[in-house]
Amino acid sequence: MGTHDELRFETRAVHAGQEADPENGALMTPVYLNSTYLQDAPAVPRQGYEYSRTSNPTRTALEQNLAALEGGEWGLCFASGLAATNALCDRLVPGDHVVAGNDLYGGTYRLFVRVFSRYGIDFTFVDASDVDAVAAAMTDRTRYVYLETPTNPLLRICDVRACADVARAAGALTVVDNTFATPFLQRPLELGADLVLHSLTKYLGGHSDVVAGALVGNDDALREDLAFYQNAVGGQLGPLDSFLVLRGTKTLALRMERHCANARRIAEYLAGHPQVEHVFYPGLPEHAGHDVAARQMDDFGGMISFELQGGVEAGKAFSSATRIFALAESLGGVESLVEVPPLMTHASVPKEEREKAGLRDGLVRLSVGVEHVDDLIADIDRAMDAARARATG
Ligand SMILES: *Cc1c(COP(=O)(O)O)cnc(C)c1O
């Protein structure tokens, strides 16, 4: 990576971690479908590789590429974003405490509350866009401050630098799930975070054809600890999936520029639409987190949520009537998607918790793709007619 440090993001995205094969000149990183490696003597692996659960050259290439994009020293790739979060939790012992945002990816909430709280780990969920609420929740057992920004699905913005200061003062690590922003828009390590977590399934993969996750950081001891759990538990990313994500990160910059431009146009369109009660998009000046987002992000991303007049019925009608926006969970692919979080991605969060976090039943979430924006707006227009017919009919 060393030589890549001075290069710009777009160039690192294409080249970091990837060198032509010294044997045959192949430019793309091969998919190393092997489980084991030659040793020169017992316990003396020829090139440092022993067994592919522990490490694999295709995965190494992706790990170096992600580290270069996030401005970190190292990366570790996992079978999914949740496997990466799991590895973080594997380091905790009974009595340890985590302060987490209250507007998290639904599966993260489920992992914390349904799995790790059974092992005696305590979680406190707070509105992490309020730094004082984060500070008030810290205890002397707090090991992580776990943030998403922008949050999912309400696109709230947490001030990473301020939260990292609070965490550091209390001896806790700051973890930022950077899935929504991607390193093209936001680099949490530069803002003082200790670890970045990704669901590579989303923008970094970018084509909705792979499930993968990663952790990126700077501290070597932390890497050793996390790599121990990755190897001991076995949640590593396979070589073919590593290859697919590497193919995705090459075009991350290009895709993000279009995602952002399209989303801005659509957010403005929705904000002026008579059937829309509220638009959640950090790029809108009236968004509560706009100033912090403008400071810590380079643009505002491709995700938009909005509340429709007519509540959940209107949301159902809207999301069933689009033709380009496919009704599906997930996000971050080149194709546009629509979903109804309380019924789909966030159904695992109890209604009471959802409402406490401000997630109302009529919410609709868009993952704005890279299609032509005029086609997307025409599609939204058509679905608005269906939502209105449902609301009045
Ligand atoms: C999808 C997602 C996850 C979980 O990642 P998987 O790859 O599905 O396991 C975590 N955080 C965010 C913000 C996500 O969107």
Side-chain angles (χ1 to χ4, degrees):
M1 235 176 321
T3 55
H4 289 105
D5 285 352
E6 317 79 57
L7 298 174
R8 291 171 181 78
F9 188 93
E10 291 81 348
T11 315
R12 279 180 273 141
V14 175
H15 294 287
Q18 301 169 83
E19 266 143 45
D21 189 309
E23 301 270 308
N24 56 33
L27 268 181
M28 293 309 124
T29 307
V31 182
Y32 288 94
L33 286 170
N34 57 300
S35 58
T36 191
Y37 303 82
L38 193 65
Q39 307 206 1
D40 286 330
V44 183
R46 178 162 292 185
Q47 309 227 350
Y49 292 101
E50 277 169 67
Y51 187 61
S52 280
R53 171 163 25 76
T54 319
S55 53
N56 171 284
T58 317
R59 199 169 95 216
T60 303
L62 174 61
E63 290 172 344
Q64 291 180 352
N65 183 259
L66 296 174
L69 296 186
E70 286 288 358
E73 288 296 321
W74 52 263
L76 288 171
C77 288
F78 293 84
S80 67
L82 283 177
T85 311
N86 181 87
L88 286 175
C89 294
D90 283 338
R91 299 179 63 246
L92 304 179
V93 298
D96 281 352
H97 177 240
V98 175
V99 174
N102 66 356
D103 185 28
L104 293 180
Y105 177 69
T108 304
Y109 176 85
R110 181 177 56 202
L111 179 66
F112 287 167
V113 169
R114 302 269 306 273
V115 180
F116 280 95
S117 58
R118 290 187 308 144
Y119 302 148
I121 317 292
D122 296 318
F123 295 89
T124 303
F125 297 93
V126 300
D127 175 1
S129 63
D130 175 0
V131 187
D132 295 337
V134 173
M138 301 299 290
T139 73
D140 54 5
R141 296 302 302 262
T142 307
R143 301 280 307 278
Y144 297 133
V145 171
Y146 191 99
L147 307 172
E148 280 180 28
T149 182
T151 66
N152 177 18
L154 292 173
L155 289 312
R156 290 210 178 98
I157 301 296
C158 310
D159 185 331
V160 174
R161 197 178 287 285
C163 290
D165 287 345
V166 166
R168 198 176 312 107
L173 298 179
T174 303
V175 183
V176 176
D177 179 337
N178 206 26
T179 301
F180 269 39
T182 82
F184 183 64
L185 302 182
Q186 170 176 279
R187 287 156 307 279
L189 299 176
E190 291 172 4
L191 298 167
D194 299 286
L195 288 167
V196 172
L197 184 137
H198 275 287
S199 171
L200 304 172
T201 315
K202 315 296 167 52
Y203 288 106
L204 278 83
H207 297 77
S208 305
D209 53 9
V210 62
V211 172
L215 290 169
V216 182
N218 282 319
D219 185 87
D220 284 338
L222 197 51
R223 184 205 178 276
E224 290 314 304
D225 206 28
L226 287 162
F228 167 81
Y229 286 102
Q230 180 185 50
N231 186 50
V233 175
Q236 82 292 341
L237 188 65
L240 185 56
D241 293 342
S242 300
F243 174 86
L244 286 171
V245 179
L246 263 181
R247 189 162 66 162
T249 58
K250 289 189 174 72
T251 57
L252 179 67
L254 296 171
R255 288 184 285 107
M256 289 313 293
E257 282 172 3
R258 176 64 73 86
H259 283 298
C260 292
N262 282 358
R264 179 179 302 114
R265 277 275 310 278
I266 290 172
E268 285 164 1
Y269 173 81
L270 290 170
H273 199 287
Q275 280 165 261
V276 174
E277 293 195 332
H278 195 81
V279 182
F280 302 88
Y281 185 66
L284 295 174
E286 60 270 28
H287 185 282
H290 177 72
D291 291 346
V292 177
R295 203 179 332 125
Q296 72 186 13
M297 301 174 74
D298 296 324
D299 204 336
F300 302 102
M303 300 300 298
I304 304 173
S305 292
F306 60 98
E307 283 170 357
L308 270 176
Q309 272 171 15
V312 72
E313 288 307 316
K316 275 199 225 167
F318 177 93
S319 57
S320 307
T322 51
R323 289 186 205 152
I324 300 175
F325 282 89
L327 179 59
E329 298 196 0
S330 198
L331 61 111
V334 290
E335 71 290 343
S336 291
L337 301 178
V338 58
E339 69 121 355
V340 184
L343 304 178
M344 297 168 66
T345 48
H346 289 66
S348 57
V349 181
K351 186 177 165 79
E352 192 191 287
E353 286 295 321
R354 290 200 305 261
E355 287 187 344
K356 244 196 273 170
L359 199 172
R360 310 213 337 237
D361 274 352
L363 196 76
V364 174
R365 188 187 81 179
L366 302 179
S367 172
V368 177
V370 301
E371 302 95 333
H372 198 291
V373 70
D374 293 343
D375 291 333
L376 297 179
I377 288 177
D379 196 37
I380 290 172
D381 232 13
R382 168 171 44 235
M384 285 292 183
D385 291 344
R388 187 168 54 239
R390 180 73 65 92
T392 55

